[in-house]
Amino acid sequence: MSGISQQDDEIIWVDSDTVRRADHDRAAYVIVYQCQWDLNGSLCQMWVEGDDGEMHTHLREYHGVKGDTKDVLTCRWLGCAQERKLGSMPRHVMTHLKIRYGCSNCTRTVARGDYLRAHLRNIEACSGANVVVVPGPHARVVGRECSVLL
Ligand SMILES: [Zn+2]
Ligand SMILES: [Zn+2]
Ligand SMILES: [Zn+2]
């Protein structure tokens, strides 16, 4: 875990891979969301990249969400207690970030990236369209003006 200091000098905690990505290319940035996984009474509060794969890694590395993909787990996100198979937990947790995925060809937006990819596959007129990611309301951008503390 590493810190990123934002312009207002608030330090936020992210995975060191996220720091590396934000720091590697100064023109790039990553969008992060605060994890609200309940750790027996206190919240994780680490900032995780808004991406299925990164969320998967975060849940596995920091919250022990690993094992058989068919195992059923309870989501410990603040205010949620839904059960999901381990294999679909990262995508379920992503829905808590309230990211929307839009089709660049039509006005359709959906709550999950895989739903939008299915839309691009199934609707011929949209097959060449791009996925437009609309960040959730609590997104933060890291990179650019942020200094990195390693
Ligand atoms: Zn977490
Ligand atoms: Zn949940
Ligand atoms: Zn479309």
Side-chain angles (χ1 to χ4, degrees):
M1 202 157 64
S2 301
I4 284 187
S5 170
Q6 300 214 308
Q7 272 174 317
D8 53 8
D9 282 341
E10 183 194 356
I11 293 173
I12 66 172
W13 295 99
V14 298
D15 190 86
S16 45
D17 283 345
T18 302
V19 172
R20 238 170 278 133
R21 263 191 293 281
D23 197 39
H24 177 71
D25 179 358
R26 284 282 171 190
Y29 59 90
V30 292
I31 297 177
V32 293
Y33 296 84
Q34 193 163 36
C35 177
Q36 301 191 53
W37 196 262
D38 188 337
L39 308 168
N40 298 319
S42 68
L43 297 179
C44 166
Q45 298 193 317
M46 215 170 135
W47 293 77
V48 185
E49 287 173 66
D51 170 271
D52 291 9
E54 291 306 315
M55 184 57 78
H56 186 131
T57 305
H58 177 79
L59 292 174
R60 189 185 63 221
E61 304 282 313
Y62 293 91
H63 304 312
V65 177
K66 55 188 163 194
D68 195 288
T69 53
K70 294 192 192 73
D71 287 351
V72 174
L73 301 173
T74 302
C75 175
R76 296 178 62 88
W77 197 271
L78 183 67
C80 184
Q82 291 186 41
E83 294 192 336
R84 284 289 182 285
K85 290 203 178 94
L86 191 144
S88 55
M89 187 59 90
R91 271 173 309 184
H92 163 74
V93 170
M94 286 293 290
T95 66
H96 291 307
L97 309 182
K98 307 231 174 342
I99 300 170
R100 301 286 301 176
Y101 299 86
C103 170
S104 67
N105 186 58
C106 66
T107 54
R108 188 177 175 83
T109 66
V110 292
R112 277 171 48 167
D114 53 329
Y115 293 166
L116 207 274
R117 285 190 292 275
H119 165 80
L120 299 185
R121 269 200 309 276
N122 298 334
I123 309 294
E124 212 181 322
C126 298
S127 62
N130 295 314
V131 179
V132 181
V133 178
V134 183
H138 304 296
R140 290 246 185 136
V141 175
V142 296
R144 286 188 179 145
E145 293 90 9
C146 305
S147 48
V148 172
L149 318 166
L150 287 172

